[in-house]
Amino acid sequence: MTPSEPSPAAAGIRSRAHQALSAWWARLRAHARRRPALTVILTVLSLGLGLGLGDLGLLHARMDRFDVDMPRQLGASSATADGSTLPQAETWLVIGTDSRTAVPEGPDRYGSVEEAGQGARADVVALVQPAASEVNVLVLPRDLTVAQGQMFDERLATSFLQGPQHTVDSLCSAFGVSTDHVVTVDMAQFADIVDTLGGVDVEVDEPVRDAYSGLQIETAGTQHLSGVDTLALVRSRHPEVLRDGQWVALSEQEGAERRSRFTGVVMRAVLAGMLERAHNPLAVQSLAWTLTGDLGTDVGTGLLDLARLARTVRGAMGADADSGVNLVTVPAGPVGDGFAAPPTDETYATLAAYGYTPGTCTPAD
């Protein structure tokens, strides 16, 4: 026997394997002839599974990922009526940035990078706590002070200039927010998501306009807004409202409060729009394609985490977004020099009611 020839034992194994494969193929062909419909169904399911796995790979590849080391939770922080404590709920930190490197097409409402400055600030910040019965959405003021400096206090908005890691660590140190997942979206991406939903319906209590953000809503009541108009609403901080036939400019404090309130209203409307499309597989696929291309996530958050979040939100909301989403606008003190709004006793009390208490988490090393 030469070195290239198989041994008798190996040749016997190969022969038996060939015979077994031939017998399996013969049985499969005979089964296909007896039950052609079942064979077609199994073939279609196999193709669908293959395409589905390929689609998941494409969706995963579209996501923008960034490194964040999550804080460590040190202990229970949510007080109950009997004085005991509960662990902090899972927290998704959602950040809408104001980066000018990508802005929606259309009128120039945003300014250039040269005008607005380099980097991206946290324009919209929300803490999302998904639960089976209700989804809590806590909207944080972008001007909320997260650290005191020698010359200027650091605001939540500017903390993002040093990246998502610094924002996560700042919320942990200042308020005990132990973040589990981080999701980011810029202005162009946010407008694209809203447009993919076909726009959103938002209830506006009075006509409002804002030359700085491009907002122009001339009637009160339910408004169907496009992506750029929804973006203008959540970015408005110098609004004028129509009262008794006159346009009245609101104070800096009133503008900040309305901005936080409408951020929550818009988030609820977006969730409701996603819920409406959950019953249509093609609409779900289109939405998933848009979201994975428009959202950024920390490297520890994957498609399965996003799918689990969506399933939890859908279960909590049921058929009624108003009853399934608990919107909370976290208060802050008056906006002072440097546009910073210091936390107050009410700020800490509101956050504590949802499990966030200073000293209960520490930033990662």
Side-chain angles (χ1 to χ4, degrees):
M1 184 177 63
T2 64
S4 60
E5 293 176 344
S7 65
I13 293 174
R14 180 179 299 176
S15 177
R16 289 193 295 273
H18 178 74
Q19 292 172 2
L21 181 60
S22 298
W24 174 81
W25 180 246
R27 289 195 300 271
L28 183 62
R29 294 178 62 186
H31 183 78
R33 287 192 296 269
R34 292 194 304 269
R35 298 184 178 180
L38 179 60
T39 302
V40 171
I41 293 174
L42 292 175
T43 302
V44 171
L45 289 176
S46 298
L47 290 173
L49 178 61
L51 291 173
L53 292 175
D55 193 40
L56 287 177
L58 289 174
L59 291 175
H60 179 80
R62 284 170 56 80
M63 297 174 64
D64 180 25
R65 316 299 292 275
F66 46 82
D67 290 321
V68 174
D69 293 325
M70 299 304 173
R72 296 191 304 273
Q73 189 170 352
L74 300 180
S77 57
S78 180
T80 61
D82 60 2
S84 60
T85 56
L86 297 173
Q88 187 181 112
E90 180 185 46
T91 297
W92 289 70
L93 174 60
V94 180
I95 300 174
T97 74
D98 68 351
S99 171
R100 267 63 172 187
T101 57
V103 297
E105 295 181 358
D108 183 10
R109 301 175 172 179
Y110 316 102
S112 64
V113 173
E114 292 75 16
E115 294 170 335
Q118 296 286 342
R121 286 158 288 273
D123 214 27
V124 171
V125 182
L127 305 174
V128 179
Q129 295 181 339
S133 58
E134 190 174 51
V135 177
N136 297 320
V137 178
L138 284 70
V139 180
L140 301 174
R142 72 189 299 273
D143 297 324
L144 182 63
T145 301
V146 292
Q148 292 184 337
Q150 294 182 345
M151 297 185 64
F152 299 101
D153 291 340
E154 184 174 47
R155 298 179 296 137
L156 183 56
T158 56
S159 71
F160 197 78
L161 289 172
Q162 300 183 53
Q165 182 70 66
H166 187 62
T167 300
V168 167
D169 292 344
S170 297
L171 286 172
C172 171
S173 299
F175 303 109
V177 175
S178 183
T179 303
D180 298 291
H181 305 277
V182 181
V183 176
T184 64
V185 59
D186 65 29
M187 292 191 289
Q189 293 166 338
F190 175 79
D192 186 42
I193 291 171
V194 172
D195 286 335
T196 298
L197 295 173
V200 294
D201 292 329
V202 176
E203 187 74 20
V204 178
D205 51 359
E206 55 189 337
V208 59
R209 68 185 186 185
D210 188 334
Y212 291 90
S213 72
L215 179 64
Q216 185 75 36
I217 299 177
E218 298 182 352
T219 58
T222 301
Q223 309 293 324
H224 188 75
L225 303 180
S226 66
V228 293
D229 289 330
T230 305
L231 178 64
L233 180 62
V234 298
R235 296 190 67 246
S236 172
R237 60 181 300 155
H238 303 285
E240 294 179 302
V241 296
L242 186 62
R243 294 175 179 171
D244 299 326
Q246 298 291 327
W247 287 101
V248 180
L250 299 184
S251 68
E252 190 78 29
Q253 184 68 22
E254 289 177 302
E257 292 172 353
R258 285 176 64 93
R259 180 189 181 107
S260 294
R261 177 163 62 88
F262 277 113
T263 294
V265 170
V266 166
M267 288 191 69
R268 173 185 281 162
V270 170
L271 290 174
M274 293 180 179
L275 179 64
E276 290 178 3
R277 283 149 183 78
H279 305 290
N280 185 330
L282 292 178
V284 169
Q285 168 63 17
S286 174
L287 182 59
W289 186 259
T290 298
L291 290 176
T292 52
D294 285 341
L295 297 179
T297 65
D298 64 276
V299 293
T301 299
L303 288 175
L304 292 180
D305 296 297
L306 292 171
R308 177 173 54 83
L309 174 64
R311 185 169 60 251
T312 302
V313 171
R314 178 181 177 185
M317 293 174 66
D320 185 0
D322 290 336
S323 63
V325 177
N326 175 35
L327 292 179
V328 180
T329 301
V330 178
V335 178
D337 295 338
F339 300 105
T344 65
D345 290 344
E346 191 177 0
T347 305
Y348 291 110
T350 301
L351 291 171
Y354 293 91
Y356 306 121
T357 304
T360 56
C361 81
T362 182
D365 296 330

